[in-house]
Amino acid sequence: MAKILLRQGDITQIKTDAIVNAANVRLRGGGGVDGAIHRAAGPELNEACQKLGGCPTGAAKTTPGFNLPAKYIIHTPGPIWRGGTKNEAKLLASCYANCLKQAAAHGCRTIAFPAISTGIYGFPLEKACQIALECVQKSELVSEVVFVCYDRRTYQVYQELLHQK
Ligand code: AR6
């Protein structure tokens, strides 16, 4: 079972083996956490992303971390929330599962996740955090998972869910 940690702050500063990027399917740097990661990692990240040929929703692809303290960036496009009837929950779960697989395949023991899909993509926060926790709690693929919460509300939702367990 992976150890679960909660942090408030900016994921670009986190020194885990891998950090996860809430990307888009074209892997072209956008806004939100994606924009922050691209700015902090430097222009080489965009070049590396363009060689990957995009990434389907729910899948994950890895690049080096370039100027970041993390060794790797695992890019995963989360689902856009469309009311809950378009397989959004399953797709979000597969983002977490595939990121953990990518981390293990690259020899990473520690990984940090942002709250995928809960910003620009509009996934309801409580539901998204619940899915994230369920996916990582049963995993044996890494030893430590850090949920990096940019805003206070996300931190509180995770905290409440962790205390309920
Ligand atoms: N560190 C950690 N979390 C952050 C940071 C940061 N530096 N900045 C924002 N967040 P979002 P999405 C939080 O919108 O909903 C991009 O344009 C943010 O507060 O970044 O998956 C992509 O290219 C929220 O809790 O990602 C896609 O087009 C969480 O990260 C699209 O946005 C996710 O918010 C993806 O949308």
Side-chain angles (χ1 to χ4, degrees), residues 7-14 19-25 27-39 76-80 92 113-123 125 147-151 154:
R7 293 275 178 273
Q8 197 171 354
D10 177 357
I11 203 166
T12 65
Q13 311 286 313
I14 300 278
I19 66 161
V20 171
N21 180 18
N24 55 61
V25 292
L27 298 182
R28 291 206 180 269
V33 70
D34 191 12
I37 289 172
H38 273 268
R39 282 191 297 277
T76 186
I80 299 170
L92 186 62
F113 283 99
I116 301 165
S117 283
T118 67
I120 294 163
Y121 282 178
F123 204 109
L125 184 60
F147 288 111
V148 183
C149 309
Y150 198 56
D151 53 278
T154 304

Side-chain angles (χ1 to χ4, degrees), residues 133-146:
L133 274 177
E134 274 166 22
C135 289
V136 307
Q137 267 170 338
K138 57 190 179 202
S139 178
E140 306 279 351
L141 288 171
V142 296
S143 56
E144 190 178 289
V145 174
V146 186

Side-chain angles (χ1 to χ4, degrees), residues 4 9 18 40-41 58 60 65 68 96-98 116 121 128 133 146 153:
I4 294 175
L68 295 184
Y96 284 94
N98 284 320
I116 301 165
Y121 282 178
L133 274 177
V146 186
R153 186 160 168 252

Side-chain angles (χ1 to χ4, degrees), residues 22-79:
N24 55 61
V25 292
R26 298 192 322 150
L27 298 182
R28 291 206 180 269
V33 70
D34 191 12
I37 289 172
H38 273 268
R39 282 191 297 277
E44 279 174 299
L45 175 58
N46 191 45
E47 285 166 32
C49 282
Q50 291 328 299
K51 289 182 190 144
L52 295 174
C55 182
T57 302
K61 291 189 178 179
T62 304
T63 64
F66 298 106
N67 294 338
L68 295 184
K71 278 187 223 112
Y72 295 103
I73 305 166
I74 302 173
H75 306 266
T76 186

